[in-house]
Amino acid sequence: MDPELLELQRQLEAAQSARSSVRLSERNVVELVQKLQERGIIDFELLHTTSGKEYITSDHLKHEIKMEIKKQGRASLVDLSDTLGVDLYHVERQSQKVVSDDPTLMLINGEIMSQSYWNTVTEEINEKLQERSQIALAEIAAQLHIGSELVISILEPRLGTIVKGRLEGGQLYTPAYVSRITAMVRGAARGTTVPTNLPSVWNSLQQQLQEMHGASGVSVEGSFFQSIFNGLLKEGAVLGSIRAGGQWTPAVFAHAQKESVDAFFSQNSYIGYDVLQKLAIPQPKQYLEARYPDGIALDAVFVHPSVVDMLDTAVGDAIDNGHWIDSLSVLPSYITGPDATRILSICPSLQKAIKSSKAVLFGESCVFSNVFIKKRNTMLSGNAERRRRLLDNLQKQIDEAVLDMQLYEKALDVFEDDPATSGILHKHLLKSMGTPIVDKVLITLDKDRKLKNGMEVEDSEDEHVQLSTADRTSLVKDLPGALSLKAQALIEALEGKRFNSFMDALRDILEESGLTFKKLDKRLERTMLHSYRKDLTAQVSSESDPVSFLPKVVALLFLQAYNKALQAPGRAVGAVIALLKKHRALHHVPEKDREPDHQTTHLLHLQHQWNRQHFLTHAQQDTMRPRLPTSLCFRTFCSRISCQLQPTRYWLIITALQ
């Protein structure tokens, strides 16, 4: 060492060890320092220690701070203040200067940390990571008492160097573990053949990992799976497309979609948008327009131009031949009215015919040539006249039939106390009088419908046509709306048990058809009863058949007793005779006081004829017998008639005529 320097050291040591003869108190020292500062001899900042017994310069404080950071790597400002014995305010000021002068240091949340400290920490993190394969950032942040964002900022620049791992979704993974997860994601993606929601796939992979490693195994976030999948998709390791929301469509499925669409479209020349929706193709119209630029996008289907050509040819033929055509009958069943209108609008033959007034478009799908319209108008004009005659003829027949039915309906009231006989008479009127008029009405209304619609109808006579129940039902189905409902109600009433219900149903359908239901008034009823009595008396007078004679006589007696017209089948005659017997007992008039009426005159005439032709033959053994009274001869005649019919009813007729 330099001798001169050694000498100076010796002198300094001697001076320090020598005892001073003058001693200064602490107060004197403070005053001395202040004087030196006032005179500018001490021109640098002096800081008081917390003990108040020492001065320290700012530079020395900075040096002490650096030494503490170098020794610990991480130091709290509060701890530095306690260790250095300097007020926290001065420590903070000098710490900021230290950090600003050294880029390897950082001051965060009241702590100074060095890069060497972080290098040491990240080395420890790496060692732990290699042992466990995964570490959560939250766990690291909790151990270091720092925020997760700071952990990320520290780890990211050291990934791949000090830290051998990958940071994803708040987790730190080893490369080996990342490779394993990548293989799982790749296998799951390649094994998917239909559109799949990726989050559900990631949930399945998480469950597999939990089953493999148990509850203590590594936890993998869905974002990690998604990040690996995005990398594989970018590299081309998996093929397909992904939409917002994580909907994954594999390339194999997209290829199958295209093949299915192409096959259907090439075979049918059209395809419905719902077909594409079933194939999980979003925005089907835009998809088809992009794939088949020459096609035509309609509201419900996408069609090939050949469909337009086919319809154009059919429409052109119909116009040229003077016919009409419903485009829906030519187009595929998938095409509805609005779409048919759109196709017709681009048919050249139709547009040309419309401009030249050769055709007209009706509704959404029907095309009529003007030639056809003229013919149809001529036919409809003729049909209008035929309809008028048809309905007029029906009205005449209905007027007569309705009056007759109302006349005979009144007799039904007499038998209300006898349900069995009443039911027989109701059904008899329904069958004998209701059935013919129902068949006539249905046949006429069907003809009227056909004429109204311009259909061909033969002018055949159907006076005696009798329809079956199936025939009536078939005719009813073809009638329009409310008229069909009224007609169905009429058929049900005809097959019912009450004649009055049938009359109500008949009135309803006539009113719905625009026909009238003529009511039977008192004056007309008297006129019809007079004609009925006259006609029935004539029949009785001219009848020679015993089987036909008895019902007519009973009807004539019923008319005389109740002043009502009666139609009764053979099985109801006995009940009618019994009723007449009761009526005669209640209204008996001695024969001598009874005035013969028109009916009695005819009956006496009938009895006279019978006496002359038949009675003497039966009484050959009694030729000497005195001539019997008129009433007795007639009773005998009736009794003989009764015996020829049914012997069991002999007493009924005798008692009814006594």
Side-chain angles (χ1 to χ4, degrees):
M1 184 177 292
D2 190 352
E4 186 178 355
L5 181 60
L6 291 174
E7 180 61 23
L8 290 174
Q9 288 180 347
R10 186 186 63 77
Q11 294 177 3
L12 175 63
E13 182 179 358
Q16 289 178 342
S17 60
R19 287 184 172 274
S20 176
S21 59
V22 180
R23 295 185 62 85
L24 298 176
S25 65
E26 293 182 359
R27 180 178 182 82
N28 296 139
V29 173
V30 172
E31 291 176 352
L32 180 60
V33 171
Q34 289 178 348
K35 282 290 184 180
L36 291 174
Q37 287 179 331
E38 290 174 358
R39 293 183 179 186
I41 298 175
I42 299 177
D43 57 354
F44 48 85
E45 182 182 12
L46 289 177
L47 304 175
H48 291 280
T49 62
T50 55
S51 64
K53 296 182 179 182
E54 293 178 312
Y55 284 105
I56 184 171
T57 64
S58 299
D59 292 339
H60 187 73
L61 179 59
K62 290 170 60 177
H63 175 74
E64 292 290 338
I65 291 174
K66 290 178 181 179
M67 294 303 294
E68 288 294 328
I69 294 173
K70 184 177 181 180
K71 181 172 60 176
Q72 300 181 19
R74 174 180 179 181
S76 169
L77 298 184
V78 175
D79 293 340
L80 287 175
S81 176
D82 294 339
T83 302
L84 300 177
V86 181
D87 187 79
L88 180 61
Y89 171 76
H90 300 299
V91 172
E92 288 179 347
R93 285 182 58 197
Q94 299 307 316
S95 295
Q96 291 175 354
K97 293 179 181 180
V98 170
V99 172
S100 62
D101 294 340
D102 190 349
T104 63
L105 299 178
M106 61 178 64
L107 177 60
I108 299 175
N109 297 329
E111 288 187 300
I112 300 176
M113 306 172 192
S114 65
Q115 293 295 333
S116 60
Y117 168 76
W118 288 123
N119 290 338
T120 303
V121 169
T122 51
E123 288 177 357
E124 295 175 356
I125 292 174
N126 182 63
E127 291 177 1
K128 188 180 294 185
L129 174 64
Q130 303 308 317
E131 294 176 359
R132 297 170 50 181
S133 298
Q134 178 267 353
I135 300 177
L137 294 184
E139 179 183 349
I140 298 174
Q143 291 176 353
L144 298 177
H145 303 288
I146 58 177
S148 297
E149 294 179 357
L150 179 59
V151 174
I152 294 175
S153 65
I154 297 302
L155 289 176
E156 283 183 342
R158 293 171 174 78
L159 290 175
T161 55
I162 299 176
V163 180
K164 308 298 183 182
R166 176 169 175 172
L167 182 62
E168 287 289 347
Q171 301 284 337
L172 195 60
Y173 305 97
T174 61
Y177 194 77
V178 172
S179 299
R180 185 187 307 173
I181 298 299
T182 301
M184 294 178 66
V185 172
R186 184 189 301 111
R190 290 180 177 178
T192 303
T193 58
V194 296
T196 305
N197 191 24
L198 288 179
S200 63
V201 178
W202 308 152
N203 291 335
S204 299
L205 294 181
Q206 288 173 341
Q207 292 178 1
Q208 292 181 19
L209 290 173
Q210 291 178 359
E211 293 174 358
M212 292 169 58
H213 303 291
S216 60
V218 177
S219 175
V220 181
E221 297 292 334
S223 58
F224 184 36
F225 290 117
Q226 187 67 47
S227 176
I228 292 176
F229 176 82
N230 293 338
L232 293 174
L233 185 63
K234 186 176 181 179
E235 295 170 2
V238 293
L239 301 177
S241 60
I242 186 171
R243 290 187 293 148
Q247 186 70 15
W248 162 247
T249 302
V252 63
F253 181 79
H255 181 70
Q257 282 180 326
K258 294 178 182 179
E259 288 187 345
S260 299
V261 172
D262 290 342
F264 190 97
F265 191 64
S266 62
Q267 292 175 6
N268 302 282
S269 298
Y270 76 93
I271 187 169
Y273 301 135
D274 58 341
V275 175
L276 274 72
Q277 290 173 348
K278 292 178 181 178
L279 293 173
I281 297 178
Q283 299 180 335
K285 182 180 290 188
Q286 291 80 351
Y287 175 88
L288 292 171
E289 287 176 337
R291 187 158 184 80
Y292 309 108
D294 296 335
I296 302 169
L298 303 176
D299 290 341
V301 294
F302 189 88
V303 299
H304 192 272
S306 61
V307 175
V308 179
D309 298 336
M310 174 187 65
L311 181 60
D312 185 67
T313 301
V315 170
D317 291 342
I319 295 173
D320 294 339
N321 295 324
H323 298 313
W324 74 282
I325 185 173
D326 184 355
S327 61
L328 293 178
S329 63
V330 180
L331 295 170
S333 58
Y334 232 93
I335 298 179
T336 57
D339 286 341
T341 304
R342 170 76 188 284
I343 297 176
L344 287 172
S345 67
I346 56 178
C347 287
S349 60
L350 176 60
Q351 301 307 313
K352 182 179 179 181
I354 291 176
K355 290 181 180 179
S356 59
S357 300
K358 291 184 179 180
V360 178
L361 176 63
F362 280 93
E364 296 177 327
S365 60
C366 296
V367 178
F368 291 85
S369 67
N370 283 346
V371 174
F372 177 83
I373 293 175
K374 292 177 181 179
K375 292 179 181 179
R376 185 60 59 178
N377 287 339
T378 303
M379 179 184 294
L380 290 175
S381 299
N383 285 356
E385 178 61 25
R386 292 178 64 186
R387 289 181 62 203
R388 187 187 63 79
R389 293 198 304 267
L390 183 69
L391 294 177
D392 287 347
N393 183 45
L394 176 62
Q395 184 67 68
K396 292 178 183 179
Q397 297 182 48
I398 286 176
D399 288 344
E400 182 179 351
V402 164
L403 290 175
D404 287 342
M405 287 189 288
Q406 291 180 85
L407 184 67
Y408 288 111
E409 183 184 12
K410 291 181 176 295
L412 299 177
D413 297 338
V414 178
F415 297 91
E416 287 300 320
D417 295 335
D418 185 359
T421 305
S422 177
I424 294 173
L425 296 178
H426 274 272
K427 289 184 178 180
H428 177 68
L429 284 182
L430 288 171
K431 181 177 181 181
S432 61
M433 303 192 73
T435 300
I437 196 62
V438 168
D439 292 346
K440 180 64 179 178
V441 168
L442 293 180
I443 292 174
T444 303
L445 292 179
D446 182 64
K447 286 184 177 181
D448 179 69
R449 176 188 63 82
K450 292 178 179 178
L451 291 173
K452 182 179 180 180
N453 295 331
M455 302 170 65
E456 296 290 342
V457 177
E458 297 181 1
D459 292 329
S460 59
E461 293 294 333
D462 47 23
E463 294 293 335
H464 303 291
V465 175
Q466 185 171 357
L467 302 176
S468 64
T469 301
D471 295 335
R472 298 186 189 104
T473 303
S474 177
L475 292 176
V476 165
K477 290 181 179 178
D478 294 332
L479 295 177
L483 187 59
S484 176
L485 298 177
K486 302 287 187 181
Q488 183 61 40
L490 179 64
I491 293 177
E492 293 174 358
L494 179 64
E495 297 174 353
K497 298 180 180 181
R498 302 294 298 179
F499 190 72
N500 53 346
S501 299
F502 168 78
M503 293 296 286
D504 293 338
L506 179 62
R507 182 184 298 105
D508 291 342
I509 192 173
L510 293 179
E511 292 176 353
E512 186 68 30
S513 306
L515 301 172
T516 59
F517 185 92
K518 192 171 183 180
K519 293 184 179 181
L520 180 66
D521 54 27
K522 293 295 184 180
R523 182 177 178 182
L524 187 57
E525 181 180 3
R526 288 194 298 270
T527 302
M528 292 181 67
L529 284 175
H530 177 73
S531 299
Y532 173 73
R533 181 183 290 107
K534 184 178 179 180
D535 181 62
L536 188 58
T537 302
Q539 292 181 32
V540 169
S541 300
S542 62
E543 185 62 65
S544 59
D545 181 16
V547 176
S548 301
F549 178 80
L550 181 58
K552 293 177 181 178
V553 170
V554 171
L556 191 58
L557 292 174
F558 186 86
L559 176 62
Q560 181 179 358
Y562 294 97
N563 197 33
K564 297 179 184 292
L566 176 68
Q567 265 206 14
R571 56 178 178 160
V573 170
V576 177
I577 292 175
L579 182 66
L580 290 173
K581 177 181 176 182
K582 293 180 181 179
H583 182 272
R584 185 176 182 86
L586 293 173
H587 302 84
H588 177 69
V589 179
E591 186 176 351
K592 63 180 181 178
D593 298 330
R594 190 181 309 155
E595 295 182 1
D597 56 5
H598 184 68
Q599 175 187 354
T600 304
T601 303
H602 281 279
L603 290 175
L604 292 175
H605 177 67
L606 178 61
Q607 175 245 336
H608 175 70
Q609 289 183 339
W610 184 88
N611 282 338
R612 185 179 58 184
Q613 297 177 8
H614 302 284
F615 182 71
L616 291 177
T617 304
H618 288 287
Q620 290 178 357
Q621 297 178 0
D622 300 322
T623 53
M624 302 305 295
R625 182 179 177 182
R627 189 172 182 83
L628 298 175
T630 300
S631 60
L632 180 58
C633 294
F634 185 67
R635 287 197 299 271
T636 305
F637 165 71
C638 289
S639 67
R640 297 266 179 98
I641 294 283
S642 176
C643 290
Q644 293 178 20
L645 290 173
Q646 294 182 10
T648 58
R649 292 193 178 180
Y650 173 79
W651 65 273
L652 290 174
I653 300 174
I654 294 299
T655 55
L657 297 176
Q658 285 179 345

